[in-house]
Amino acid sequence: MKGFWSLTLYNEHHFFHPNALNRYSLGTKSKSLKPNADGSLTIYAGAKSPGKDRESNWLPAPNGTFSLYIRAYWAEKAIIEGKWMPPVIAVAK
């Protein structure tokens, strides 16, 4: 991989959401990210911690409206041509 990616969370006013972790984005350069056993990666975004064992992959969010932006830097051809799409966001119940 030549480049890197980041996923950034913004509040309803498109500002960073203040949080105790001082964490506003996660990505390739986040050394604490923990992959799943199968090599995939789950990132959690929400107002409540997903639990201590998953907190390294958590983007703290406000209660209510927020937005997520994924950025690909020095992107591969598939991204530039629109042949790759980021995974769908799943809402946990």
Side-chain angles (χ1 to χ4, degrees):
M1 182 168 117
K2 296 185 298 190
F4 60 98
W5 61 269
S6 68
L7 180 68
T8 307
L9 187 144
Y10 297 96
N11 67 19
E12 65 183 346
H13 304 290
H14 298 325
F15 291 109
F16 291 145
H17 173 64
N19 63 80
L21 299 178
N22 290 318
R23 183 180 297 155
Y24 312 103
S25 67
L26 290 170
T28 309
K29 295 185 176 193
S30 301
K31 302 302 179 203
S32 65
L33 282 175
K34 294 180 183 171
N36 299 316
D38 65 1
S40 64
L41 182 65
T42 301
I43 295 178
Y44 303 90
K48 295 181 182 175
S49 168
K52 272 294 193 199
D53 59 327
R54 298 176 177 167
E55 212 164 74
S56 63
N57 293 21
W58 176 42
L59 279 174
N63 283 311
T65 304
F66 64 89
S67 56
L68 294 168
Y69 289 81
I70 191 166
R71 293 176 176 88
Y73 302 88
W74 201 359
E76 299 288 338
K77 187 175 180 180
I79 295 172
I80 294 168
E81 293 178 348
K83 295 177 181 173
W84 177 88
M85 296 300 291
V88 174
I89 295 173
V91 178
K93 296 180 182 186

